[in-house]
């Protein structure tokens, strides 16, 4: 699984960065900093039933423990607590959530994991850690709306969110200790709901923006109309969209002229927070079990489709090992009915169509068995209902 989606980096193949990109990247970085600074200082809160609030309240480990013991205890109970909340993980397939982060109309997969990290550093720099990462979302606008459960854009679709539970709890412990220092343990402490809105959600912008940029590349490549934000911040941001499109137009043109392997294709697309899209597409390091694989798989289908499209004119021998891996992996998913029973049949059909398109591009000469529809989908098709 991780071999497929965290492809092994290879030597850069003469990557050409558009001359304007450093200026664009610097400007978008300033926009990110402005958005995060505003929301960190705005005393707003999420609802008490937000999935992150429930998760924090469910991980009932005493904050008085020293940091090392606290981290170890949280790490030991994290996945069981995630299972109780029906999150996807290496021990539980979970379920789809309805717009907890991106608002109504979004089918959200929340993947819980315990990837190791430097907990001492996270404790010291707790304001800037990113325990909640966006692995996939449908937005292609660059307005940096906070993923706070409100519908803020014209695009809806599948979302995949990864939560490092021990990192989230280490951040929360540091936040609580900071509040105790400020208030002396008296009234006036900020609530858990405020902690989530002021620190956790704003820090999701770091991964949100690179995925939005990738979606924009996909739209530019296919000639589709990009999305728009329908909600504004109470402050002005400089609009860099035309300059981003100009840079990515150059990138796409270069990719059509020079053959790249799959990793080279992603490395050729510059990002903002990460250096390039190859780095931005990494998935969490978690046990590759069937229960959690479906969520990670869905998060990276657009990237697989993109590299196969852009490398179509590259000699097959350059990507043959990766093509073989994709074909073997998809065949395994087909045999295991990986996506059956974990999502709505209509959402599942959308995913299956994505996979069939990737199969076609990965195996232009060999006809592989396609991912079969679920039994519920077979019933829908046999009844004559439109899908």
């Amino acid at each position: 699984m991780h071999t497929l989606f965290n492809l092994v980096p290879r030597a850069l193949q003469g990557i050409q960065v558009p001359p304007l990109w450093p200026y664009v990247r610097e400007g978008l970085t300033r926009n990110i900093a402005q958005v995060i600074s505003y929301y960190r200082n705005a005393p707003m809160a999420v609802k008490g039933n937000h999935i992150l609030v429930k998760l924090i309240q469910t991980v009932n480990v005493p904050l008085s423990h020293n940091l090392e013991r606290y981290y170890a205890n949280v790490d030991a109970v994290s996945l069981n607590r995630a299972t109780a909340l029906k999150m996807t993980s290496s021990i539980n397939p979970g379920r789809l959530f309805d717009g907890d982060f991106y608002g109504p109309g979004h089918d959200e997969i929340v993947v819980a994991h315990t990837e190791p990290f430097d907990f001492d550093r996270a404790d010291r720099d707790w304001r800037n850690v990113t325990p909640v990462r966006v692995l996939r979302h449908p937005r292609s606008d660059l307005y940096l709306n906070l993923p706070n459960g409100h519908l803020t854009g014209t695009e809806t679709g599948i979302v995949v969110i990864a939560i490092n539970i021990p990192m989230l709890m280490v951040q929360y412990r540091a936040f609580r200790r900071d509040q105790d220092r400020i208030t002396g343990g008296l009234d006036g402490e900020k609530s858990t709901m405020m902690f989530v809105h002021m620190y956790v959600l704003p820090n999701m912008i770091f991964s949100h923006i690179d995925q939005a940029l990738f979606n924009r590349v996909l739209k530019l490549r296919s000639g589709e109309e990009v999305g728009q934000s329908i909600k504004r911040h109470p402050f002005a941001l400089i609009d860099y969209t035309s300059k981003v499109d100009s840079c990515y137009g150059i990138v796409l043109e270069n990719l059509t002229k020079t053959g790249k392997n799959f990793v080279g294709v992603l490395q050729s697309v510059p990002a903002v927070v990460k250096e390039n899209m190859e780095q931005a597409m990494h998935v969490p390091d978690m046990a590759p079990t069937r229960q959690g694989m479906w969520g990670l798989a869905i998060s990276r289908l657009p990237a697989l489709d993109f590299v196969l499209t852009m490398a179509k004119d590259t000699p097959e021998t350059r990507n043959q090992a990766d093509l073989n891996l994709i074909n073997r992996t998809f065949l395994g998913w087909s045999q295991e009915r990986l996506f059956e029973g974990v999502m709505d049949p209509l959402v599942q059909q959308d995913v299956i169509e994505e996979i069939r398109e990737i199969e076609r591009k990965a195996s232009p000469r060999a006809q592989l068995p396609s991912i079969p529809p679920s039994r519920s989908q077979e019933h829908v098709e046999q009844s004559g209902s439109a899908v």
Side-chain angles (χ1 to χ4, degrees):
M1 178 66 199
H2 293 84
T3 305
L4 177 61
F5 294 108
N6 290 342
L7 297 175
V8 179
R10 304 165 201 169
L12 294 175
Q13 302 174 318
I15 303 303
Q16 297 177 314
V17 177
L20 188 61
W21 184 254
Y23 167 79
V24 173
R25 186 182 188 187
E26 183 179 344
L28 290 174
T29 301
R30 286 196 299 269
N31 280 356
I32 294 170
Q34 187 175 355
V35 170
I36 291 177
S37 176
Y38 173 80
Y39 286 105
R40 281 186 186 174
N41 292 284
M44 293 183 280
V46 298
K47 294 181 179 179
N49 63 350
H50 191 281
I51 185 67
L52 291 177
V53 174
K54 291 191 289 187
L55 176 60
I56 292 170
Q57 294 172 342
T58 299
V59 182
N60 190 23
V61 176
L63 300 176
S64 57
H65 287 342
N66 67 58
L67 180 59
E68 184 174 3
R69 183 182 176 192
Y70 181 81
Y71 168 78
N73 287 358
V74 170
D75 186 69
V77 304
S78 289
L79 296 187
N80 287 332
R81 298 297 185 266
T83 297
L85 294 173
K86 296 181 171 33
M87 295 180 181
T88 299
S89 71
S90 59
I91 65 171
N92 183 59
R95 65 171 178 85
L96 286 178
F97 291 81
D98 183 18
D100 276 35
F101 292 93
Y102 282 84
H106 293 87
D107 300 294
E108 298 180 347
I109 304 165
V110 180
V111 179
H113 66 95
T114 58
E115 183 177 45
F117 63 98
D118 186 339
F119 54 80
D120 284 310
R121 181 176 178 179
D123 180 66
R124 292 193 303 270
D125 193 30
W126 65 270
R127 291 175 178 83
N128 298 312
V129 297
T130 54
V132 185
R133 287 179 53 219
V134 187
L135 303 183
R136 173 176 176 173
H137 67 72
R139 300 281 293 273
S140 60
D141 67 88
L142 306 180
Y143 196 68
L144 305 176
N145 293 113
L146 212 63
N148 57 6
H150 298 291
L151 184 63
T152 58
T154 58
E155 299 159 298
T156 57
I158 295 175
V159 174
V160 184
I161 304 288
I163 303 177
N164 188 323
I165 298 180
M167 185 184 293
L168 175 66
M169 297 309 299
V170 167
Q171 183 186 30
Y172 180 69
R173 175 183 177 273
F175 163 77
R176 275 282 160 243
R177 290 166 67 88
D178 185 68
Q179 287 295 298
D180 287 343
R181 178 186 59 80
I182 293 172
T183 66
L186 302 176
D187 292 340
E189 285 191 352
K190 293 182 172 65
S191 66
T192 303
M193 289 75 79
M194 296 175 74
F195 161 74
V196 170
H197 200 285
M198 295 174 68
Y199 295 100
V200 184
L201 299 186
N203 289 3
M204 291 175 65
I205 293 294
F206 291 119
S207 53
H208 167 92
I209 183 61
D210 280 346
Q211 296 301 324
L213 287 166
F214 181 70
N215 291 339
R216 202 167 186 91
V217 172
L218 298 182
K219 293 291 181 74
L220 292 172
R221 182 208 71 197
S222 62
E224 296 180 52
E225 185 178 352
V226 296
Q228 301 293 328
S229 171
I230 58 175
K231 184 176 176 59
R232 298 294 173 183
H233 300 295
F235 51 87
L237 290 176
I238 298 176
D239 185 2
Y240 291 95
T241 54
S242 63
K243 294 180 174 60
V244 167
D245 293 349
S246 176
C247 288
Y248 281 158
I250 295 173
V251 168
L252 292 171
E253 183 179 359
N254 289 339
L255 284 173
T256 61
K257 293 178 178 178
T258 58
K260 305 285 185 186
N261 62 35
F262 292 163
V263 175
V265 168
L266 291 176
Q267 289 175 339
S268 297
V269 183
V272 169
V273 177
K274 299 296 185 181
E275 191 68 26
N276 53 57
M277 291 303 169
E278 185 270 324
Q279 296 178 12
M281 293 297 158
H282 280 213
V283 297
D285 184 8
M286 52 189 281
T289 62
R290 185 181 185 277
Q291 288 92 329
M293 186 182 296
W294 72 277
L296 296 184
I298 290 174
S299 75
R300 287 301 168 256
L301 293 179
L304 284 177
D305 183 78
F306 179 71
V307 298
L308 285 164
T309 299
M310 300 312 299
K312 66 180 183 300
D313 295 325
T314 302
E316 288 187 6
T317 53
R318 184 173 293 181
N319 292 309
Q320 194 58 55
D322 291 331
L323 286 170
N324 293 341
L325 178 60
I326 291 171
N327 291 333
R328 289 197 307 271
T329 302
F330 280 20
L331 181 59
W333 294 352
S334 173
Q335 294 170 341
E336 294 181 8
R337 290 185 174 266
L338 183 67
F339 304 101
E340 183 171 334
V342 291
M343 65 184 91
D344 179 271
L346 295 179
V347 179
Q348 180 174 312
Q349 184 61 19
D350 290 340
V351 171
I352 290 172
E353 289 303 320
E354 286 188 69
I355 291 174
R356 286 174 176 163
E357 180 64 14
I358 295 171
E359 282 183 329
R360 183 185 65 79
K361 294 176 180 178
S363 304
R365 298 181 182 87
Q367 184 63 42
L368 286 179
S370 295
I371 300 289
S374 67
R375 295 182 182 89
S376 57
Q377 181 59 34
E378 289 170 349
H379 174 73
V380 170
E381 292 176 346
Q382 290 169 4
S383 67
S385 300
V387 176

